[in-house]
Amino acid sequence: MGASFGRGGATQSLQDMANADCIVIQGSNMAECHPVGFQWVAEAKARGAKIIHVDPRFTRTSAIADKHIPIRAGSDVVLLGALINHVLTNDLWFKEYVVAYTNAATLVNEDFRDTEDLGGLFSGFDPETGQYDPATWAYAEPGGDGVESPGGGHEHGASAAARAAGDEHGSGGPPLQHAQPQRDETLQHPHTVFQILKRHFARYTPEMVRDVCGIGIDDFAYLARAITENSGRERTTCFAYAVGWTQHTLGAQFIRTAAILQLLLGNVGRPGSGIMALRGHASIQGSTDIPTLFNLLAGYLPMPRAGRHDSLQEYLESIASKKQKGFWTDADAYTVSLLKAWWGDAAREDNDWAYDYLPRLTGPHGTYQTVTAMLAGQVEGYFLLGQNPAVGSANGRQQRLGMSHLKWLVVRDLNLIESATWWKDGPEIASGELRAEDIETEVFFLPAASHVEKAGSFHPDAAAVAVASQGGRAARRLPKRAAVLLLPWPADQAAAGRFDRRAGPAIARPDLGLSHRLPR
């Protein structure tokens, strides 16, 4: 979603699904897992909309849908690719929309080669490193060269690989030097994005869908007809997905392909259109928006990287160019506003708005890189807030073994979850692979208040901020989350809900004399 639309969230509100003429639910059992949001699907159906559920299982969502289309798990990209091929081959795409609102007319560097030309590889592949040099993938400009990043050039994949998982470009996407790439609005030039797309997806046929997805040609024709007949100038189709796509190993490809299909049909930014990313708990979208993700700052600003963004100016030059188009040219103002909101009066122009207080990425720091580092003895302590990796992450065994290498583990949750008790009753204890008496990890369990016991805000599916009042008082006085994360500070300050950076551990960054008081 971020690569297609600039932000990792739904393109519309749940309520807008009621305006759709066709809804395709794929990678989700929405009726059971998102029943409150499903009311808008039910309303659309009552208005005459066609509901199609594409899923390996027949669920309650399937029972309510007009048609359930079983699909072989993990083959979604073939089905979506065939729909794209169907739309392009039969000239069913929304021409005016595509030319005006997508990059279909933009020319790509003439040295770019697709997988059909190079036996399954894109141009720029380096067999020695196993990485890509993306220089040939750039847009073409009048001089014949590619449109580069603001700093000039493109980083080779070999140097980017070690931190690739942590390389986020923010809401504006990869930055460009300027907004004047070559275009052909007739879409006939062989190097337009449109023609490259057409050639690339030509391989996906109804016969391939039958063989790979297990979907009959008649069912594919029904789906293709339902989507195209309910798209265009007067009608719209909406796609909805959840963790069936999000957490799949090819999930990014599924979502990106669905975005291409919806853009070809003009189904983004119009009533009843879009791609609804169903998030589950009310604040899961907040992980991206606020965010709690390691590679983004609030507002989809990319996280600074050590050695590349050591000064504010280096950071601002890397995320956007004033010669680009769109609101993201004001990314410098967004950054300064965020720093001022965080650091208050201590953020001044003469100290680069306290930019030096931001941490820097030194590599990919996702959950799987972290657990690998645990196993290698590189991580000593671990905080778990609202996470249960012992059973909730892929390869739970690896997660439990990783935690057995820690010196200490802090779990903050409503109940004694598996990530707090794996050391005494986990599968590895039962099998004898681990013995509780041999595990040196010291586990601290801290109680937590549920969302109804405290006031705050939610970021639901559509990323609209919803403010919630406290519904009931917690049964016991509980530590605030900020207090948990600031354990190294003196106990008297923690008890008072006040933290002074000058009294904390020694740090290399300049001391701004910041003091924060937590709300009671």
Side-chain angles (χ1 to χ4, degrees), residues 281-296:
H281 189 278
S283 267
I284 287 199
Q285 183 60 49
S287 295
T288 314
D289 298 335
I290 294 174
T292 55
L293 299 178
F294 75 92
N295 51 11
L296 285 177

Side-chain angles (χ1 to χ4, degrees), residues 5-252:
F5 307 118
R7 55 183 298 277
T11 61
Q12 80 282 27
S13 66
L14 277 164
Q15 292 87 335
D16 186 58
M17 295 181 77
N19 298 316
D21 299 293
C22 177
I23 299 174
V24 179
I25 302 171
Q26 194 166 345
S28 170
N29 178 12
M30 188 178 179
E32 292 186 86
C33 299
H34 302 86
V36 176
F38 195 75
Q39 66 179 302
W40 307 108
V41 177
E43 184 169 323
K45 183 177 172 66
R47 292 178 48 252
K50 190 167 289 186
I51 313 300
I52 302 172
H53 188 214
V54 181
D55 199 271
R57 302 182 304 145
F58 187 94
T59 64
R60 291 187 178 181
T61 303
S62 313
I64 295 172
D66 292 285
K67 188 172 184 63
H68 170 239
I69 299 178
I71 184 174
R72 188 167 289 129
S75 64
D76 303 62
V77 76
V78 176
L79 175 61
L80 296 166
L83 290 170
I84 291 174
N85 186 27
H86 175 83
V87 168
L88 294 173
T89 303
N90 294 285
D91 207 28
L92 297 170
W93 47 286
F94 193 160
K95 297 178 180 62
E96 296 85 356
Y97 180 100
V98 168
V99 172
Y101 299 112
T102 76
N103 66 347
T106 308
L107 269 61
V108 175
N109 190 309
E110 62 181 17
D111 293 328
F112 172 78
R113 294 292 181 271
D114 206 340
T115 51
E116 289 79 7
D117 306 316
L118 299 175
L121 296 171
F122 294 98
S123 55
F125 182 75
D126 186 340
E128 292 187 3
T129 63
Q131 307 293 336
Y132 278 103
D133 179 355
T136 59
W137 305 355
Y139 292 148
E141 61 178 348
D145 297 324
V147 182
E148 299 179 337
S149 300
H154 299 278
E155 185 180 9
H156 194 287
S159 62
R163 54 163 181 77
D167 185 9
E168 285 288 338
H169 296 288
S171 183
L176 302 176
Q177 286 175 315
H178 56 74
Q180 289 85 38
Q182 287 183 286
R183 287 173 58 86
D184 172 24
E185 297 196 356
T186 69
L187 305 182
Q188 298 306 306
H189 193 291
H191 293 300
T192 57
V193 170
F194 181 81
Q195 291 296 334
I196 293 172
L197 191 75
K198 199 170 183 179
R199 291 192 297 271
H200 182 85
F201 284 98
R203 77 189 76 178
Y204 297 102
T205 63
E207 290 74 23
M208 181 183 282
V209 171
R210 177 195 61 203
D211 297 339
V212 177
C213 304
I215 295 175
I217 291 178
D218 290 343
D219 282 346
F220 173 77
Y222 175 91
L223 177 62
R225 186 168 58 253
I227 291 172
T228 55
E229 288 180 354
N230 289 289
S231 300
R233 194 175 297 276
E234 302 296 334
R235 303 178 74 80
T236 51
T237 290
C238 171
F239 270 74
Y241 74 89
V243 292
W245 277 6
T246 305
Q247 296 188 2
H248 195 280
T249 52
L250 299 177

Side-chain angles (χ1 to χ4, degrees), residues 327-343:
F327 286 111
W328 201 246
T329 57
D330 293 323
D332 54 351
Y334 303 155
T335 302
V336 172
S337 295
L338 181 63
L339 294 173
K340 291 170 69 175
W342 277 338
W343 310 127

